[in-house]
Amino acid sequence: DCSAMIKMRMIELDAQSPGNDPEFAALAREMYYLMGANMTSILGHDGPDWRTEDEFRKWRDGVLLAGLVKDTFHLLLVDGQGLRGFLSFSAPSGNAEIYVNEIQIRPSARKDGVTLRRLVEGFVTRIANLPHETIQTYVNRRNDESQQLILKAGFRIESQAERGTRFTASKATVLARLRTRRQNNRQQATLERAPEP
């Protein structure tokens, strides 16, 4: 498991983070640039130049900070090089749905077998005891890899629009599927480490 070789830590940003976390400003900027670079690779360069300070401030104030006030949480996985990836979700009180807003992973960490798993495990741990019953998300039509991952996690297509697909699943189904996968991965790792007879 390469996670033993790479020092990583999970950080959760919530409504208290802007005032309490001295790293918040730097982490917000890293989130923005990771998301911008990943989305540009999928969607191209349509619209205003996202790399400007003005666009960053619009996102920070209108999306990140506004979302934190409205029960949005961000799970960030950080290593010695900075932000490895993050998973953002909204879990409004009084609502039956959790909404997965973003899963963004640094290109060099996408197929490492660790980053996505650690983010998903953090998400599962974080939502397991929440009262919400359903998980929803949306994936751009051009992002085929993400659509396949969502379906493997137990989601089904709820509706399709011109730009993408909305997925939904019961929280119980997703948790059961991910826990089974985690158990299978542990069993496989145990078998791989076992000495040959």
Side-chain angles (χ1 to χ4, degrees), residues 90-98 127 129-135 171-172:
S90 299
S93 54
N95 196 332
E97 290 90 28
I98 293 168
I127 69 166
N129 295 319
L130 294 178
H132 305 73
E133 298 171 3
T134 307
I135 304 174
K171 184 174 82 171

Side-chain angles (χ1 to χ4, degrees), residues 1-8 10 77 79 84 105 108-122 185:
D1 184 351
C2 73
S3 64
M5 296 180 273
I6 302 168
K7 286 211 171 241
M8 292 182 270
M10 185 77 73
L77 193 60
D79 64 16
R84 199 173 176 85
I105 297 176
S108 63
R110 282 201 191 127
K111 301 211 186 271
D112 64 10
V114 176
T115 304
L116 179 61
R117 181 180 44 129
R118 291 277 304 272
L119 289 169
V120 169
E121 286 174 355
N185 288 342

Side-chain angles (χ1 to χ4, degrees), residues 8 27 33 45 79 82 91 111 127 137 142 147 157:
M8 292 182 270
L27 290 170
Y33 278 96
H45 291 279
D79 64 16
K111 301 211 186 271
I127 69 166
T137 194
R142 295 186 203 175
Q147 291 190 54
I157 295 172

Side-chain angles (χ1 to χ4, degrees), residues 26-37:
L27 290 170
R29 193 169 291 276
E30 284 192 71
M31 289 172 69
Y32 180 74
Y33 278 96
L34 176 59
M35 183 173 56

